[in-house]
Amino acid sequence: MSVAIRVIACLDVHDGRVVKGVNFTNLRDAGDPVELAAAYGNAGVDELTFLDISASSQGRATTRAVVARTAETVFVPLTVGGGVRSVDDVDALLRTGADKVSINTAAIRRPELISEIAERFGNQVLVLSVDARREAGQPSGYGVTTHGGTESAGLDAIAWARQACELGVGEVLLNSMDADGTTNGFDLEMLADVRAAVDVPLIASGGAGAVEHFVQAAQAGADAILAASVFHFGKVAVADVKSALADAGFPVRLEGAST
């Protein structure tokens, strides 16, 4: 394998502040998004993901002013999601400074939006965010949720990821809602099952709590590994994650990473 495993810091933004909770509840303030983004850029993250976690539930567009300030501050690829409902929303975010756009709820409601975005901008800018949890009633055992995991979409997570790839998404961001914010480790079984079903890059999200969890996610098939709270609150350093991945035999970008 020659492509480097990417380490991604996620900024979950609510009312203009970075927050983090457990399963999207009991949110704690983690700081200013622009300041955190700059710190992560200096720490050597490969990408940043900016998710406006209240955009869909509150029915409003992503806070573009914060996106613009973040894009001006950091020089690593920036993915933005939350409240993206149309091709025009994607166009606006890309013009604001996003490199990629993440979609979730709007694509579930109208899957053809995926094709519309991919045809206009290319699939390299489009990330499907799948908030999945274990659901006994689904064929794969995993169901899709929306609105921060509070509502079931009535979809099988693996079938949905496969369909979205056929429609044109360039990456899948798989977030385990059961593990999110728990710091107990990624859902490795879910990761491996989705990895076997899709052929686009797969981003692991939900559950990072220690350096070894990142290695385990890569071993389960993740092409990129995303974390939030362990980075925000200083439990894990980006440089240590990359060193552990390298020691385990995975290619990583070490230039610029520091503790």
Side-chain angles (χ1 to χ4, degrees):
M1 183 176 65
S2 59
V3 178
I5 298 288
R6 291 169 287 146
V7 177
I8 303 173
C10 183
L11 308 179
D12 293 321
V13 178
H14 175 74
D15 293 337
R17 299 286 293 179
V18 176
V19 296
K20 195 60 194 174
V22 178
N23 306 131
F24 284 78
T25 62
N26 299 318
L27 300 178
R28 297 169 59 192
D29 186 278
D32 176 77
V34 180
E35 292 176 1
L36 276 174
Y40 287 134
N42 292 333
V45 296
D46 297 301
E47 295 185 14
L48 285 165
T49 292
F50 178 111
L51 297 178
D52 191 330
I53 63 171
S54 55
S56 289
S57 61
Q58 294 181 0
R60 58 181 171 76
T62 305
T63 308
R64 290 175 190 150
V66 180
V67 173
R69 289 169 52 221
T70 303
E72 291 169 357
T73 303
V74 298
F75 303 98
V76 297
L78 175 63
T79 299
V80 181
V84 177
R85 299 179 180 84
S86 68
V87 171
D88 287 344
D89 288 341
V90 175
D91 184 62
L93 287 170
L94 294 176
R95 291 176 185 277
T96 299
D99 298 284
K100 294 185 278 189
V101 173
S102 173
I103 58 173
N104 183 349
T105 307
I108 291 170
R109 290 174 177 163
R110 199 170 69 84
E112 55 267 34
L113 177 62
I114 294 171
S115 298
E116 294 168 4
I117 295 170
E119 287 169 7
R120 178 162 172 185
F121 303 105
N123 64 2
Q124 76 280 355
V125 308
L126 188 55
V127 180
L128 178 75
S129 180
V130 181
D131 291 339
R133 62 169 21 116
R134 290 175 181 266
E135 190 175 322
Q138 297 297 341
S140 69
Y142 312 113
V144 177
T145 69
T146 62
H147 297 81
T150 61
E151 298 180 18
S152 172
L155 294 173
D156 181 88
I158 289 182
W160 170 233
R162 188 184 290 119
Q163 178 189 359
C165 291
E166 292 170 354
L167 289 170
V169 298
E171 289 185 276
V172 172
L173 168 58
L174 179 66
N175 185 34
S176 169
M177 299 308 295
D178 297 315
D180 181 79
T182 65
T183 69
N184 292 326
F186 296 93
D187 188 329
L188 303 177
E189 183 180 18
M190 181 190 291
L191 267 176
D193 288 346
V194 175
R195 171 74 287 163
V198 303
D199 57 5
V200 301
L202 178 62
I203 306 168
S205 172
V211 168
E212 57 265 28
H213 293 157
F214 291 80
V215 176
Q216 293 164 359
Q219 292 169 338
D223 300 284
I225 307 158
L226 177 150
S229 58
V230 291
F231 290 155
H232 299 339
F233 302 122
K235 294 182 179 179
V236 173
V238 173
D240 292 341
V241 169
K242 291 196 169 187
S243 294
L245 286 166
D247 289 345
F250 293 99
V252 294
R253 298 184 188 92
L254 291 173
E255 308 91 271
S258 64
T259 55

